Amino acid sequence: MNKGLLIALEGPDGSGKSTQIELLEKYFVDKGIEVIRTREPGGTKISEKIRAVILDNDNQEMDNMCEALLYAAARAQLIKEVIKPAIAEGKVVLCDRFVYSSIVYQGIARDLGIDTVKSINDCALGGLEADLVFMISIPYDKGIGRKKNQRELDRLENVGMDFHKKVFEGYSKISSIYDKIELINGDDSIENIHRNIVNRVESYIEHK
Ligand code: ADP
Ligand code: TYD
């Protein structure tokens, strides 16, 4: 078991992960608990550079395997530099996306296969596992619609609705494969979703 607590939020683009991470961070800070927030791809100097390459609208020719390896490379750096040390110090780490994003986006939506993507990522994870994984579920067109209202779409968000539908179906699929994934209804008010997540976090900590 991890000394600290690693909580990952997963879900399609626009499902509300960043919004919920911000609220969850405040929840822990208010309790006087040290918390670190990361995002994927990114979270370190090197990983943010990899993020810029992946999301660049100019890189339309990027090969699917190249993309999968870049996500795993960014993740490996983040884990080594930030996540593992924080967990070892007993801190709470909140991850805006984790390995399940690669399994869904690269493994299922890009058709590389779950096993292939999992094995690439086993190298990146170096044995690290999340304690809690919340998957915010939302109809695929609703999530991307929210994003469009928020800002200009990046290379991945611009791929078309068929891809977003595959992502949505991919998340549904993996939530039935991995027991660890806890489904959260994202088609609700921000406050209700937050309360739902906090209830589950408190129940986990109580039984840890
Ligand atoms: P993600 O990190 O999953 O892409 P965000 O948290 O950035 O999603 O949310 C995308 C947009 O949707 C933001 O403009 C945010 O304010 C809005 N939003 C988030 N949660 C909800 C919600 N439950 N209901 C309505 N709008 C929401
Ligand atoms: P980001 O803007 O961080 O996500 P969101 O749109 O949810 O706020 O963009 C990250 C993009 O990268 C998003 O489209 C999902 C994708 N992604 C993968 O395809 N594989 C991965 O392993 C990760 C972490 C993200």
Side-chain angles (χ1 to χ4, degrees):
M1 192 188 286
N2 292 331
K3 190 173 171 218
L5 189 62
L6 177 52
I7 303 176
L9 262 76
E10 285 282 359
D13 301 72
S15 54
K17 298 177 297 299
S18 309
T19 305
Q20 292 302 325
I21 289 250
E22 211 170 302
L23 293 173
L24 201 51
E25 182 181 28
K26 185 173 180 311
Y27 162 83
F28 283 112
V29 168
D30 287 349
K31 283 188 164 303
I33 295 170
E34 260 199 284
V35 57
I36 284 184
R37 175 172 154 196
T38 69
R39 70 164 179 182
E40 284 208 34
T44 72
K45 185 185 75 193
I46 293 170
S47 310
E48 288 291 332
K49 285 186 176 171
I50 298 174
R51 176 187 175 93
V53 172
I54 297 173
L55 300 186
D56 191 342
N57 269 314
D58 199 33
N59 289 339
Q60 295 298 330
E61 74 277 28
M62 188 179 288
D63 172 66
N64 290 344
M65 181 55 81
C66 172
E67 186 185 280
L69 291 166
L70 286 175
Y71 278 115
R75 183 166 295 127
Q77 186 66 30
L78 177 69
I79 287 172
K80 189 75 191 289
E81 197 179 319
V82 177
I83 300 183
K84 277 193 172 168
I87 293 290
E89 289 168 16
K91 293 178 184 161
V92 171
V93 180
L94 304 177
C95 297
D96 192 338
R97 296 191 179 279
F98 198 49
V99 61
Y100 300 95
S101 285
S102 280
I103 292 174
V104 169
Y105 284 76
Q106 282 64 56
I108 299 174
R110 297 270 198 225
D111 275 336
L112 287 177
I114 292 178
D115 289 345
T116 303
V117 171
K118 204 179 159 296
S119 70
I120 292 169
N121 277 279
D122 282 346
C123 304
L125 291 174
L128 182 76
E129 278 185 35
D131 296 292
L132 280 165
V133 183
F134 295 116
M135 196 209 112
I136 307 182
S137 175
I138 187 169
Y140 63 95
D141 46 347
K142 205 160 187 174
I144 209 68
R146 283 181 187 169
K147 274 294 185 207
K148 274 185 193 149
N149 293 334
Q150 193 184 22
R151 57 164 166 75
E152 205 177 311
L153 301 184
D154 59 42
R155 181 178 70 87
L156 296 162
E157 290 158 350
N158 262 326
V159 285
M161 285 320 264
D162 279 1
F163 183 78
H164 295 298
K165 187 161 179 273
K166 275 190 182 174
V167 167
F168 174 77
E169 288 165 357
Y171 270 117
S172 305
K173 183 171 177 179
I174 66 157
S175 67
S176 61
I177 298 177
Y178 297 98
D179 291 344
K180 187 159 271 177
I181 297 179
E182 299 203 29
L183 268 176
I184 301 284
N185 175 20
D187 202 4
D188 200 347
S189 73
I190 290 174
E191 194 43 50
N192 281 350
I193 299 169
H194 175 58
R195 214 170 301 127
N196 188 358
I197 292 175
V198 165
N199 286 343
R200 294 183 194 214
V201 168
E202 288 180 345
S203 158
Y204 179 85
I205 292 173
E206 213 172 284
H207 298 104
K208 198 179 171 189

